[in-house]
Amino acid sequence: MKINRSPYTLSLITLLVLVACSTKKDSFVSRNYHAMTTQNNILYNGGIGFDKGVADINAKSKNNFWKRLPVEKMELSDGSINDTTKNVNFDLAETKATKAIQKHSMNIDGRERNSQTDEAYLMLGKARYFSQRYIPALDAFNYILYKNPNSNKNFEAKIWREKTNMRLGNDALVIKNLSKLLMDFKMKAHYVANANAVLAEAFLNLEEKDSAVAKLKIAQELTSINTEKARYRFILGQLYEELGKKDSALLSFQSVIDMHRKADREYVIQAYAKKAQLFDFQNGNKEELTKMFTQLVDNRENRPFLDLIYHQIGVFYDKSNDPELALKNYNRSLKLIKDNTYLAVSNYRNLGNMYFKSAEFPLAAKYYDSTLVKLDKNTREYLQIEKVRKNLDDVIKYDALAHTNDSILRVVDLSDSDRIVYFGNHIESLKKAEEKQQLLAKKQQEAMANFERSGNTLPADQTFIKPNVPVRNLPKSDVGNAASSFYFYTPSTVAFGQLEFKKNWGKRSPNGNWRITTTAGDVSISATTDDLVVGADIKQKTIEKTNDKYAVAYYLDQIPTDQKVIDSINQERNFAYYQLGIIYKEKFKEYALAAAKLEKILEQNPAEKVVLPTMYNLYKIYQTTDNTKAAAMKIRILSQFPESRYAQIINNAETDNLNIDSPDKTYNQFYELFKKEQFVSLLEKLNTAIIQFSGDEILPKLELLRANTQAKLFGVAVYKKALEEVAEQYPNTDEGKQAKDLLSNQIPSLEKIDFTTTAKSWKILFKVGIQSDPLTKEIEEKIKKFIEKEKIQKRSYSYDVYTEKENFLVIHNIKSEAYANDIINYMKANKQYTITQPAIIISSDNYKVIHIKKNLEIYLASKKQ
């Protein structure tokens, strides 16, 4: 059926549409037309984009369960150009919301007439919020509240506005506004839940944890979204843990576990992990916990989380003192980790701690290195582990030194027969290792031969792995003998038999009558002589020379026999033990390890200077670990060293007055003496103080000051030796490092300094004794009178320390050697200035040389020549 419309009808329809499309007419048709168009067209598409953006946030934002979770799951931008948190879906939502506002907003007489415009502004504000553009987001939320105060979106707009204020750092304002909002009882439950969640996060930002707990409890009770409920309960558990409320924390984590599949699986597994962390190892049921771990491992749903589960099992066995199972589970966790960096850090750190406690320091260092590679450098934990790792360098160094010297001294103490057995076993282990390498090489050769027979060729850059130990070039017939386990070919058995034979029979020739001896006159002569066994000895020496490491004699010859050398090795070992004990005590607070090392020193014939500081450090350790041992060590120190500084310190516990200065005060007094050039008296005081302060932290400073004092009195050679001692004895201190730096940079240049023939300035020296000596005072008075009365070109003089017994009175600022001679002659010609001591003329440069090298006699001899 054909419908005919007149031009009048079409014009009327067009007019009605135009009237309905107008945003300036507050009519029923206009309001509903724009509301329907806004909702069903523009906002629908914008809402789809917004929902996708929120889903992306939930998918991409990784929860860091190693820290307290934020109440709202949101990945914050780092502000960089390549920031991955930017989301195009929120841009789409903002574009659609803006379009809806621009085309369909009905702001008439200061009020919004389109009911869907509030929805558009709310979407606009949310999109800007998640794009982290908080000021524009605040404008959008405020528009709803100011332009349409009766909108049904007001509660939601107010909550989002306060969330935005919180992101801007206005936490106090958020608490004030939301607390006022919650007094309105007309709000629906989900709005109340959201408001309390925002309040909880604001309180957490202000570190008001108790208030946050109260608000979060309300939020988790009222929210109907299971993901939010699980998150809020987990955060509550974390807060209770921080507040020290262990039972409440366990209940909160258990409530997450009880949600089962209603909660995201990661929250459930992390709740199990927290439950394991809070386990009471003294009173808890370990069987129940192990049963829980077994069930978690067997559950197929937990396969994505096995890395965390095995880590917690490792922690459990670690704390249960079962290192073997702890190690096994930590390694399982490491194999399964995919993207949880801090979980890997925790595994490496715990493994490092395990090896450290078992004194396997090189392994501990390697695991700490792996920890530092993955750990954030800006964290306190990184700095702590880095400090431990640096200290481990010293531990490894001294532990290796102690281990080496222990081994040497252990062999020294063995009998001849035990030494032979010991090195024989060592040779056997070398042979077994070599046999393995030979077998590996043989298999590789066979594999290469098979590969070539198959018609293939290896690429130019592809090679088989070579064994670490080279294969010995033995004939085929000898390989079997070398590998034989027949007793006669065991080096230790052979050497032992030879030694016993010589003890019983002496040297005998290898003939049929080896038992018979002949007599020549009154002397009994064995049937064998050295000449008879020369051939055998040469043969044996040839074998040992060609293959030394497989001969017992090769090792026996290296055992030290000189008692001085043995004592030196022992003292070096004790020094290493002492350094280890101090490092464990002071830097790691590992008192058991420290005590073990220091106790060992007292059993190993230590040098006298080491005994007292060792005993005192043991006394301080025992005060923390064992009061009975501390009391015994106190008596021992007071009885053996009653006059020592340590005895005074110990007695000071019962008295108020200690007749000794503090270490720092003493050092400051000594340094003042150094600046005043009172080197002789200072050296005596330093020698006494170093004994008094033995083992104290101030000791390296005193030693370095003594080295500098010795330099002033004895010259560069003695200075170098003293610096070497400081660098060797205190390598971990600032003073030890400074001494090492001086040895590398300053000493070589000082040693190269020598006398010169060119000079710009000269000096006149008079040898004198100490400054208080009457003759010294007489000479000084004459020099002073000469300079004051003659007033020639502003001369000056000084009293300079040269050695312990010799010093100089020096006239300075003389332009030439000839002029210096004129001054000496003038002083001799005038009785009031006459000095009987012979004068020495020397250039300023050479004067420095004689002070550095203390070689005045060499200079005078060269002048005579």
Side-chain angles (χ1 to χ4, degrees):
M1 179 179 175
K2 186 176 180 181
I3 299 175
N4 294 318
R5 291 192 177 95
S6 65
Y8 173 78
T9 304
L10 292 173
S11 298
L12 182 61
I13 293 171
T14 302
L15 179 62
L16 289 171
V17 171
L18 290 172
V19 170
C21 289
S22 174
T23 58
K24 302 299 181 182
K25 299 281 186 177
D26 185 14
S27 64
F28 175 81
V29 175
S30 293
R31 289 196 300 271
N32 284 280
Y33 169 78
H34 287 289
M36 182 179 64
T37 306
T38 303
Q39 180 180 13
N40 295 336
N41 186 6
I42 303 173
L43 290 186
Y44 173 78
N45 293 321
I48 291 174
F50 180 80
D51 291 340
K52 285 183 178 179
V54 173
D56 284 345
I57 286 179
N58 291 327
K60 291 179 180 179
S61 298
K62 301 296 182 183
N63 288 316
N64 185 3
F65 289 96
W66 301 99
K67 297 180 180 178
R68 186 179 68 219
L69 295 178
V71 176
E72 182 183 29
K73 186 177 182 181
M74 183 174 172
E75 189 175 359
L76 297 177
S77 170
D78 60 6
S80 64
I81 298 175
N82 298 322
D83 187 8
T84 57
T85 59
K86 295 175 182 178
N87 197 313
V88 293
N89 291 305
F90 292 124
D91 292 339
L92 174 63
E94 184 175 354
T95 300
K96 292 295 183 182
T98 304
K99 181 179 179 181
I101 293 166
Q102 288 174 344
K103 289 193 173 185
H104 300 286
S105 175
M106 298 179 66
N107 189 352
I108 301 172
D109 296 331
R111 292 186 63 186
E112 181 59 53
R113 303 300 179 176
N114 182 353
S115 59
Q116 291 300 309
T117 302
D118 294 345
E119 290 281 1
Y121 272 104
L122 192 62
M123 181 185 291
L124 178 63
K126 288 179 182 179
R128 289 172 174 175
Y129 175 86
F130 284 114
S131 297
Q132 298 175 44
R133 294 160 51 233
Y134 299 121
I135 299 297
L138 206 59
D139 290 340
F141 298 133
N142 281 330
Y143 183 89
I144 301 171
L145 300 174
Y146 296 151
K147 296 297 183 180
N148 196 358
N150 298 322
S151 171
N152 60 352
K153 297 296 178 182
N154 274 6
F155 288 132
E156 189 175 359
K158 286 179 180 180
I159 293 170
W160 277 95
R161 181 185 66 181
E162 300 315 319
K163 286 177 71 172
T164 309
N165 277 325
M166 183 185 66
R167 296 295 178 188
L168 291 169
N170 301 321
D171 297 297
L173 179 63
V174 172
I175 293 169
K176 177 183 176 181
N177 291 341
L178 286 182
S179 298
K180 184 178 179 180
L181 179 65
L182 287 169
M183 296 173 67
D184 192 331
F185 297 103
K186 296 179 182 178
M187 275 203 307
K188 294 180 181 179
H190 68 275
Y191 287 146
V192 177
N194 291 341
N196 277 286
V198 177
L199 265 176
E201 190 151 15
F203 278 122
L204 287 177
N205 291 338
L206 297 174
E207 291 298 320
E208 297 180 21
K209 295 179 183 178
D210 290 324
S211 299
V213 166
K215 297 303 178 183
L216 207 55
K217 284 173 70 177
I218 298 172
Q220 67 90 19
E221 288 173 1
L222 294 179
T223 184
S224 58
I225 303 173
N226 286 327
T227 301
E228 289 182 356
K229 189 182 289 290
R231 188 179 187 85
Y232 296 162
R233 287 179 176 179
F234 191 88
I235 297 170
L236 274 172
Q238 290 179 310
L239 287 171
Y240 282 130
E241 186 181 359
E242 290 176 15
L243 293 168
K245 299 178 180 179
K246 184 177 177 181
D247 293 336
S248 298
L250 284 169
L251 286 173
S252 292
F253 292 129
Q254 186 61 48
S255 68
V256 177
I257 294 170
D258 293 339
M259 290 181 70
H260 302 296
R261 289 186 174 86
K262 291 181 180 179
D264 291 347
R265 197 64 189 168
E266 65 173 345
Y267 289 110
V268 176
I269 297 300
Q270 291 290 344
Y272 274 116
K274 282 292 186 181
K275 189 176 176 181
Q277 290 172 21
L278 294 170
F279 179 74
D280 186 351
F281 280 87
Q282 292 182 345
N283 305 313
N285 188 339
K286 292 186 178 181
E287 291 183 2
E288 184 179 332
L289 189 61
T290 52
K291 183 180 178 181
M292 182 190 82
F293 284 136
T294 303
Q295 291 174 348
L296 288 172
V297 172
D298 292 342
N299 191 337
R300 294 174 63 87
E301 287 185 82
N302 299 334
R303 287 186 177 181
F305 307 99
L306 282 175
D307 52 356
L308 176 63
I309 295 170
Y310 281 128
H311 171 77
Q312 289 302 329
I313 296 173
V315 172
F316 168 74
Y317 285 118
D318 196 354
K319 291 183 178 179
S320 300
N321 296 320
D322 191 339
E324 186 176 348
L325 285 174
L327 177 65
K328 185 177 180 180
N329 284 285
Y330 284 141
N331 285 325
R332 281 177 175 174
S333 176
L334 284 169
K335 289 178 182 178
L336 294 170
I337 290 173
K338 294 180 180 177
D339 57 355
N340 195 331
T341 303
Y342 194 78
L343 181 58
V345 166
S346 297
N347 282 313
Y348 286 128
R349 180 198 59 225
N350 292 354
L351 284 166
N353 291 340
M354 283 177 57
Y355 284 116
F356 179 86
K357 288 178 181 177
S358 61
E360 296 182 52
F361 305 113
L363 275 174
K366 289 179 181 179
Y367 279 107
Y368 285 142
D369 286 337
S370 298
T371 305
L372 293 173
V373 167
K374 292 182 175 292
L375 194 58
D376 184 2
K377 292 184 179 180
N378 298 320
T379 60
R380 183 179 297 176
E381 185 179 11
Y382 181 92
L383 297 176
Q384 290 172 343
I385 295 175
E386 184 182 40
K387 184 178 179 181
V388 173
R389 176 63 187 86
K390 286 181 179 177
N391 290 333
L392 268 183
D393 287 335
D394 300 324
V395 173
I396 292 168
K397 171 186 171 183
Y398 289 119
D399 187 66
L401 178 62
H403 180 76
T404 300
N405 288 11
D406 270 333
S407 300
I408 295 170
L409 294 171
R410 196 179 301 117
V411 173
V412 168
D413 290 338
L414 292 176
S415 64
D416 290 342
S417 57
D418 288 338
R419 289 177 184 176
I420 291 168
V421 172
Y422 178 83
F423 289 120
N425 292 334
H426 173 68
I427 291 170
E428 285 299 305
S429 65
L430 288 179
K431 287 185 176 182
K432 288 179 181 179
E434 186 176 340
E435 286 173 13
K436 289 182 180 179
Q437 294 297 333
Q438 287 177 342
L439 184 60
L440 177 63
K442 184 177 179 182
K443 288 182 178 179
Q444 290 178 346
Q445 289 172 358
E446 290 175 354
M448 185 178 290
N450 292 334
F451 191 79
E452 290 174 351
R453 278 197 297 270
S454 65
N456 298 317
T457 56
L458 285 172
D461 60 344
Q462 184 176 345
T463 58
F464 285 91
I465 301 172
K466 295 182 178 180
N468 293 328
V469 180
V471 181
R472 290 161 61 196
N473 296 320
L474 294 177
K476 291 185 178 180
S477 58
D478 292 334
V479 174
N481 293 336
S484 174
S485 60
F486 181 55
Y487 82 93
F488 189 77
Y489 292 97
T490 305
S492 58
T493 307
V494 174
F496 183 77
Q498 290 173 345
L499 184 68
E500 288 298 307
F501 183 88
K502 286 182 180 180
K503 283 182 179 179
N504 294 328
W505 299 96
K507 289 186 177 181
R508 300 284 171 159
S509 62
N511 55 36
N513 299 318
W514 61 269
R515 288 172 180 257
I516 302 172
T517 59
T518 60
T519 305
D522 294 334
V523 182
S524 177
I525 304 174
S526 171
T528 183
T529 64
D530 288 342
D531 293 337
L532 295 176
V533 293
V534 166
D537 285 347
I538 292 173
K539 184 177 180 181
Q540 179 66 22
K541 287 180 180 178
T542 303
I543 294 171
E544 291 180 1
K545 186 176 181 181
T546 55
N547 200 3
D548 283 341
K549 68 176 181 179
Y550 296 101
V552 174
Y554 170 74
Y555 300 99
L556 293 176
D557 291 342
Q558 297 183 52
I559 300 174
T561 55
D562 188 343
Q563 191 58 44
K564 289 184 179 179
V565 175
I566 295 171
D567 290 342
S568 175
I569 294 171
N570 181 55
Q571 298 311 323
E572 191 178 56
R573 174 187 63 178
N574 288 337
F575 172 74
Y577 271 89
Y578 182 79
Q579 293 296 328
L580 288 171
I582 297 302
I583 292 171
Y584 292 147
K585 171 179 171 278
E586 301 293 340
K587 296 183 177 180
F588 297 137
K589 309 302 178 187
E590 292 285 348
Y591 297 118
L593 287 172
K597 295 297 181 185
L598 295 174
E599 287 167 352
K600 200 76 175 174
I601 294 173
L602 299 178
E603 302 170 1
Q604 296 174 158
N605 189 29
E608 187 176 347
K609 66 178 182 179
V610 180
V611 174
L612 182 54
T614 301
M615 292 170 67
Y616 181 73
N617 279 291
L618 277 171
Y619 167 70
K620 297 301 290 183
I621 292 170
Y622 292 152
Q623 281 185 315
T624 305
T625 60
D626 191 328
N627 290 329
T628 304
K629 287 185 176 181
M633 187 57 70
K634 174 182 175 181
I635 294 170
R636 193 173 169 186
I637 292 172
L638 295 178
S639 61
Q640 294 182 21
F641 306 95
E643 302 300 324
S644 68
R645 175 177 176 272
Y646 294 111
Q648 293 186 47
I649 292 172
I650 293 171
N651 287 328
N652 190 46
E654 291 86 25
T655 60
D656 294 329
N657 297 320
L658 182 63
N659 188 25
I660 192 168
D661 289 330
S662 67
D664 289 332
K665 185 178 179 181
T666 301
Y667 177 80
N668 291 334
Q669 291 172 349
F670 288 170
Y671 191 69
E672 287 301 317
L673 291 175
F674 183 84
K675 289 195 291 186
K676 293 176 182 178
E677 297 189 358
Q678 297 181 20
F679 302 125
V680 177
S681 61
L682 173 59
L683 188 60
E684 292 177 2
K685 293 177 185 293
L686 281 167
N687 290 333
T688 304
I690 284 169
I691 296 171
Q692 285 184 333
F693 291 96
S694 181
D696 199 289
E697 291 182 0
I698 202 69
L699 196 59
K701 278 190 172 185
L702 293 174
E703 292 277 18
L704 186 59
L705 183 59
R706 180 166 69 171
N708 287 317
T709 305
Q710 289 175 324
K712 298 292 185 180
L713 293 174
F714 308 117
V716 68
V718 176
Y719 184 41
K720 179 180 180 180
K721 186 177 179 181
L723 287 176
E724 287 172 346
E725 290 177 359
V726 175
E728 182 181 349
Q729 291 182 20
Y730 311 102
N732 310 315
T733 64
D734 292 338
E735 290 73 24
K737 292 172 183 175
Q738 185 180 346
K740 189 175 180 180
D741 182 64
L742 290 170
L743 285 166
S744 301
N745 300 319
Q746 189 182 70
I747 294 298
S749 59
L750 292 177
E751 288 177 329
K752 290 179 181 177
I753 290 177
D754 206 351
F755 296 119
T756 63
T757 54
T758 59
K760 294 181 180 179
S761 177
W762 294 79
K763 300 179 187 296
I764 301 173
L765 316 181
F766 297 95
K767 280 188 184 181
V768 294
I770 59 175
Q771 199 163 10
S772 59
D773 186 78
L775 181 59
T776 304
K777 288 184 176 181
E778 180 186 339
I779 296 172
E780 184 177 4
E781 190 64 31
K782 289 181 178 181
I783 293 173
K784 184 178 179 182
K785 190 186 294 184
F786 167 74
I787 290 174
E788 287 178 352
K789 287 190 175 181
E790 298 301 325
K791 297 180 181 179
I792 46 176
Q793 297 184 11
K794 296 181 180 179
R795 299 282 168 254
S796 64
Y797 79 96
S798 66
Y799 176 84
D800 295 348
V801 176
Y802 182 60
T803 63
E804 282 184 300
K805 298 179 180 179
E806 290 184 326
N807 304 295
F808 297 131
L809 280 167
V810 186
I811 301 175
H812 303 280
N813 303 324
I814 302 171
K815 291 184 177 181
S816 68
E817 186 176 9
Y819 190 53
N821 279 311
D822 291 341
I823 291 174
I824 293 170
N825 293 330
Y826 181 79
M827 292 177 73
K828 286 180 179 178
N830 290 273
K831 292 183 179 180
Q832 58 178 335
Y833 307 138
T834 301
I835 298 172
T836 57
Q837 292 291 99
I840 301 169
I841 300 173
I842 189 170
S843 68
S844 297
D845 292 335
N846 289 337
Y847 185 62
K848 289 180 183 178
V849 174
I850 67 169
H851 268 288
I852 291 170
K853 294 192 173 182
K854 304 300 177 185
N855 56 354
L856 177 63
E857 299 303 324
I858 296 175
Y859 173 77
L860 294 176
S862 65
K863 288 284 287 182
K864 287 181 181 179
Q865 291 176 2

